[in-house]
Amino acid sequence: GAVVSQHPSWVICKSGTSVKIECRSLDFQATTMFWYRQFPKQSLMLMATSNEGSKATYEQGVEKDKFLINHASLTLSTLTVTSAHPEDSSFYICSVQRTSLTGELFFGEGSRLTVL
Amino acid sequence: AQSVAQPEDQVNVAEGNPLTVKCTYSVSGNPYLFWYVQYPNRGLQFLLKYITGDNLVKGSYGFEAEFNKSQTSFHLKKPSALVSDSALYFCAVRESSASKIIFGSGTRLSIRP
């Protein structure tokens, strides 16, 4: 199956700084990657769909200027949390999907962001 | 619009007993259904999926799920629970013509020794 690498696993930053999270598809080329956010004891909230070579598609209510997504290659998508604040503290998870519409998602291990 | 519901926040089962984690869905067409498991501070791991064919789907770690079209359900089952099965389980659905996968709220499965 697909292997997805997400980095960093944990990050602590000061309020006002920016944090970049990387998501790599290791064994196949992913034209589409998804970014999710998960609050404690809650389900996954889809933030945006990352499309290789084009702009990301953001879900309603997600600030595109706050959560910058770049999908520069078929194996790498990045999520940058700009000017982070404590309310941005969360667990961020990326996923990739095989080209088939019926395909399941394969997830990274997640990144725990804590903003002080 | 598609949706998925997991009516139980928590399921508690004794080790060795059978377990069931419930999931119901709503889609306008034929559903694509998935189960994932999440361990603490980890990403989600794929367990199994139903696309078409046999209603009983077998997956990883001895889990299986039964697709019931009339009841719009896709319950996750295992004949004999292990303590190591304790985790958070998510049901997910997508419509055949859509690209998004929608996740349920999750069910925390706790297996006591």
Side-chain angles (χ1 to χ4, degrees):
Chain A
V3 177
V4 181
S5 173
Q6 192 171 336
H7 177 82
S9 300
W10 300 82
V11 57
I12 300 174
C13 69
K14 293 182 179 180
S15 185
T17 61
S18 295
V19 175
K20 180 184 286 188
I21 301 170
E22 293 186 346
C23 179
R24 294 182 184 274
S25 175
L26 299 183
D27 65 349
F28 75 96
Q29 295 179 328
T31 56
T32 302
M33 293 185 181
F34 301 92
W35 286 97
Y36 290 86
R37 181 174 181 178
Q38 185 179 30
F39 292 98
K41 298 183 180 180
Q42 293 191 26
S43 188
L44 285 74
M45 180 192 79
L46 179 63
M47 299 175 64
T49 302
S50 172
N51 304 297
E52 189 270 334
S54 64
K55 291 183 179 180
T57 304
Y58 289 83
E59 295 299 302
Q60 190 173 6
V62 178
E63 299 176 59
K64 57 183 66 177
D65 294 331
K66 170 66 135 176
F67 300 100
L68 299 179
I69 292 173
N70 183 276
H71 195 152
S73 77
L74 288 171
T75 58
L76 174 64
S77 175
T78 61
L79 167 67
T80 301
V81 183
T82 62
S83 187
H85 290 283
E87 58 265 29
D88 299 324
S89 298
S90 192
F91 194 55
Y92 294 89
I93 311 175
C94 73
S95 68
V96 303
Q97 177 182 303
R98 293 190 184 277
T99 54
S100 166
L101 283 177
T102 64
E104 65 272 23
L105 296 179
F106 295 91
F107 288 83
E109 289 297 297
S111 299
R112 171 76 59 194
L113 170 63
T114 301
V115 185
L116 302 176
Chain B
Q2 57 187 10
S3 66
V4 58
Q6 293 180 244
E8 304 156 314
D9 290 337
Q10 175 125 7
V11 170
N12 300 308
V13 177
E15 186 175 29
N17 284 359
L19 67 88
T20 299
V21 183
K22 296 180 180 177
C23 172
T24 59
Y25 66 90
S26 175
V27 299
S28 57
N30 293 319
Y32 296 86
L33 296 156
F34 309 88
W35 275 101
Y36 290 85
V37 59
Q38 184 182 32
Y39 296 97
N41 294 308
R42 304 289 296 276
L44 276 68
Q45 295 179 32
F46 169 74
L47 280 179
L48 51 80
K49 67 180 177 182
Y50 172 83
I51 305 300
T52 186
D54 290 340
N55 290 341
L56 186 64
V57 179
K58 294 187 182 297
S60 306
Y61 311 120
F63 284 94
E64 58 189 28
E66 185 169 11
F67 170 65
N68 188 317
K69 188 172 183 178
S70 63
Q71 298 184 7
T72 62
S73 67
F74 189 57
H75 301 332
L76 181 70
K77 300 180 180 182
K78 187 172 182 180
S80 179
L82 300 173
V83 173
S84 57
D85 293 329
S86 298
L88 189 57
Y89 290 80
F90 290 99
C91 182
V93 66
R94 73 183 309 182
E95 291 177 329
S96 56
S97 60
S99 61
K100 295 180 192 177
I101 293 181
I102 302 299
F103 287 86
S105 56
T107 298
R108 187 163 301 279
L109 178 63
S110 178
I111 309 300
R112 60 183 183 274

